[in-house]
Amino acid sequence: MPKLLPAFFALLLSYLILFPPSFDFSLSPAIHYTSYSDRTLELYPQQARKMSKVILTGATGSAGAECLRQLLLHPTVSQVTVLSRRELPPHIAPLPPNPKLRVILHSDFTSYPQSLLDQLEGYNGVVWDLGKSSMGVREDEYERIHVDYPIAAAKAFAKLAQVGERKFVFALLTGQGTSQDESKARQMFGRIKGRAEKALATLPSTLPNLATFSFRPAIIKPITPSPDDNLAKKAIYAFIPFVRPLINLVGVVETDVLAGAMIDAVLKGGSGTIPGWEGKGGLGDEETFDNEEIIRLARGSALAQ
């Protein structure tokens, strides 16, 4: 009988891929914004009610694509600039074209020439969702993408802050399993992303016009499927309802919740702190947003005392 189990699960996965269940795949109460009419602006401090301009990277990934959708809907965001190596694919680019959106093709994320910064003058923050899986990637390449890229950007973008006004806010996406103490990180991705968090958190000491916040989601569950998803991803998403209790032990956050939290950090963190979340953004693992804190931030809840 045990020998038949792999074949059974293979058949089950094939069936689920071909005939996905029709029930709700949601693992946690999600926000699923279609507009911000139900998110009262009273939740925002006066500073965050000013019109903001936001940079976004990683817009072709599931987390970044949802951030883009919400930024374009947000009533206090006047312009969104996506930095990307390529044009946005049809399933991500809004139709009809949104006048708030601008895409700048940028090939080297370690370099930000003045000609690029001039195009970003007046911008208030960035949601940094750029990254890739560590599977099959050399450690030096992974470090270049997840440490060198965001740190170079943060140093350059700090120059965009208006002196005497709000700081430029850098919201960095890392992940559960990350630790700024490399001896505590079990996997290569956790060590390297911990280096990025640590390096980013130290920058405001020399760049006082910069505020930084790091986000460590657990399992990220897209609220909508992507045509770019490979067969393995589709199989995982189809199988989720059958292992819901186990996955909930690890932690899940849906992309709309994650996007809402990171956007809130950019819009509310211009003073260097997020109201109700004082202490976040500094050096140390406890000063990052873990999975449950991401969910609370997205729902407008304050840091638990």
Side-chain angles (χ1 to χ4, degrees), residues 121-169:
E121 184 178 356
Y123 272 70
N124 308 107
V126 61
V127 177
W128 192 273
D129 283 346
L130 181 65
K132 68 184 299 184
S133 169
S134 62
M135 294 184 64
V137 180
R138 297 192 321 271
E139 184 163 342
D140 60 338
E141 180 186 355
Y142 195 77
E143 183 168 10
R144 184 169 184 266
I145 294 169
H146 290 273
V147 180
D148 297 351
Y149 285 4
I151 298 306
K155 291 177 178 178
F157 294 163
K159 302 172 187 175
L160 300 174
Q162 303 293 320
V163 178
E165 297 186 18
R166 56 180 171 177
K167 300 172 185 286
F168 185 92
V169 183

Side-chain angles (χ1 to χ4, degrees), residues 28-59:
S28 61
I31 297 171
H32 300 304
Y33 298 132
T34 55
S35 73
Y36 274 77
S37 60
D38 58 342
R39 295 192 81 202
T40 171
L41 291 181
E42 278 73 23
L43 290 174
Y44 286 77
Q46 193 65 39
Q47 183 188 62
R49 297 183 210 174
K50 298 178 181 178
M51 298 304 289
S52 299
K53 297 180 180 181
V54 181
I55 303 165
L56 174 65
T57 67

Side-chain angles (χ1 to χ4, degrees), residues 134-289:
S134 62
M135 294 184 64
V137 180
R138 297 192 321 271
E139 184 163 342
D140 60 338
E141 180 186 355
Y142 195 77
E143 183 168 10
R144 184 169 184 266
I145 294 169
H146 290 273
V147 180
D148 297 351
Y149 285 4
I151 298 306
K155 291 177 178 178
F157 294 163
K159 302 172 187 175
L160 300 174
Q162 303 293 320
V163 178
E165 297 186 18
R166 56 180 171 177
K167 300 172 185 286
F168 185 92
V169 183
F170 197 109
L172 175 69
L173 179 63
T174 57
Q176 186 169 286
T178 298
S179 179
Q180 295 177 27
D181 181 348
E182 294 191 26
S183 66
K184 295 181 180 179
R186 298 180 179 180
Q187 303 293 332
M188 180 262 283
F189 80 86
R191 295 195 307 274
I192 289 179
K193 289 186 175 184
R195 290 174 204 165
E197 288 183 353
K198 190 173 183 179
L200 189 68
T202 60
L203 286 180
S205 62
T206 55
L207 299 171
N209 288 330
L210 181 68
T212 67
F213 303 97
S214 294
F215 294 79
R216 297 180 179 181
I219 296 173
I220 301 174
K221 171 70 170 61
I223 61 170
T224 55
S226 167
D228 291 338
D229 287 344
N230 57 32
L231 193 62
K233 279 189 177 181
K234 291 178 180 177
I236 291 170
Y237 297 152
F239 200 62
I240 279 177
F242 298 93
V243 291
R244 184 189 304 260
L246 180 60
I247 288 178
N248 282 338
L249 290 175
V250 178
V252 176
V253 64
E254 296 191 323
T255 48
D256 59 342
V257 178
L258 176 59
M262 296 188 75
I263 292 169
D264 273 5
V266 169
L267 299 182
K268 297 178 181 179
S271 67
T273 60
I274 301 170
W277 294 88
E278 288 74 12
K280 293 294 183 181
L283 191 61
D285 290 337
E286 69 284 354
E287 300 209 14
T288 65
F289 285 91

Side-chain angles (χ1 to χ4, degrees), residues 80-102:
V80 181
T81 291
V82 171
L83 297 183
S84 177
R85 286 194 175 89
R86 56 189 173 95
E87 294 288 351
L88 298 181
H91 68 279
I92 293 176
L95 285 176
N98 192 311
K100 288 170 64 170
L101 174 62
R102 176 177 59 171

